[in-house]
Amino acid sequence: EVQLVESGGGLVQPGGSLRLSCAASGFTVSDYYMSWVRQAPGKWLEWVSVIYSGGNTYYADSVKGRFTISRDNSKNTLYLQMNSLRAEDTAVYYCARTRYYLDCWGQGTLVTVSS
Amino acid sequence: DIVMTQSPDSLPVSLGERATINCKSSQSVLYSSNNKNYLGWYQQKPGQPPKLLIYWASTRESGVPDRFSGSGSGTDFTLTISSLQAEDVAVYYCQQYYDIPYTFGQGTKLEI
């Protein structure tokens, strides 16, 4: 069964850092594109970042230079390193297997940026 | 960036009725070399992650009931639920994956 489980969310102060993890099972992360998508409370979905199977990475302008997507093939896990966090980064963060379209999503992890 | 605009924002419907949700992209998401529209539809129920319903604008994901269908090409797309069931109450999003940044519509809330 294909499954994605995010972890690492929590409360962080503005300017702080957090690393999100997304453990995959049932498929190999490095064989697919993998994305992070976030959803602020009561808001719509916002694509954040993607890592291609070849390793190329892309980001939304809102997080470029602050967030870094990566993966550990030995752990079959996707990561999102988030630095210089702002209040507007508060959201549920989802990882998603990406075949262009996003066909499998995790349950999400909540990141709250507040003092 | 490609802007995705859905209409309406909310849609009151009755059980058994047909529901139609529209999605318009600010530029074409039809890739001419393979004649595919890079457009997907997702369903999100409260407290749950989104679920893929339709990809390539009209291909139903495995396990999705056939009352869900997608149509359209270029810049104008439609998600149709032929006969609304109670479990279809959700927010529906379109998304283009033609170009980065991938972008979503603002969502359409289906209400009974």
Side-chain angles (χ1 to χ4, degrees), chain B residues 49-108:
Chain B
K51 172 189 172 184
L52 177 67
L53 295 177
I54 303 283
Y55 55 96
W56 303 129
S58 61
T59 302
R60 199 179 303 114
E61 171 73 327
S62 175
V64 173
D66 60 7
R67 63 180 181 272
F68 291 91
S69 63
S71 63
S73 184
T75 61
D76 292 281
F77 301 91
T78 299
L79 175 70
T80 301
I81 309 172
S82 60
S83 178
L84 194 78
Q85 305 299 302
E87 61 265 31
D88 300 334
V89 170
V91 179
Y92 293 83
Y93 295 94
C94 61
Q95 180 229 351
Q96 65 81 19
Y97 41 90
Y98 180 89
D99 196 15
I100 286 176
Y102 300 154
T103 44
F104 291 88
Q106 81 277 17
T108 294

Side-chain angles (χ1 to χ4, degrees), chain A:
Chain A
E1 180 193 4
V2 172
Q3 193 172 15
L4 294 166
V5 179
E6 300 96 336
S7 60
L11 176 64
V12 61
Q13 292 189 340
S17 297
L18 216 51
R19 188 178 82 155
L20 306 183
S21 299
C22 170
S25 57
F27 72 101
T28 301
V29 162
S30 60
D31 287 343
Y32 290 83
Y33 296 0
M34 294 293 296
S35 296
W36 287 97
V37 175
R38 68 184 180 184
Q39 187 170 35
K43 297 295 187 182
W44 52 88
L45 301 166
E46 179 188 15
W47 174 82
V48 172
S49 180
V50 65
I51 182 167
Y52 285 179
S53 48
N56 288 355
T57 59
Y58 300 91
Y59 301 90
D61 285 346
S62 57
V63 307
K64 201 173 294 182
R66 299 187 299 123
F67 289 12
T68 302
I69 190 171
S70 63
R71 65 183 183 228
D72 185 330
N73 295 343
S74 66
K75 295 182 178 178
N76 209 32
T77 298
L78 178 74
Y79 300 100
L80 186 67
Q81 176 68 43
M82 304 186 297
N83 299 329
S84 303
L85 282 161
R86 307 166 179 166
E88 54 265 34
D89 296 318
T90 294
V92 174
Y93 284 75
Y94 298 101
C95 63
R97 189 175 72 173
T98 305
R99 301 177 184 236
Y100 293 106
Y101 47 88
L102 284 62
D103 72 337
C104 179
W105 297 64
Q107 286 297 313
T109 187
L110 176 62
V111 173
T112 303
V113 184
S114 175
S115 54

Side-chain angles (χ1 to χ4, degrees), chain B residues 11-37:
Chain B
L11 181 60
V13 290
S14 300
L15 293 177
E17 279 193 352
R18 182 186 192 90
T20 301
I21 299 170
N22 300 300
C23 175
K24 189 174 183 68
S25 57
S26 60
Q27 64 188 74
S28 176
V29 297
L30 173 63
Y31 193 37
S32 56
S33 66
N34 59 11
N35 202 37
K36 285 187 173 183
N37 287 284

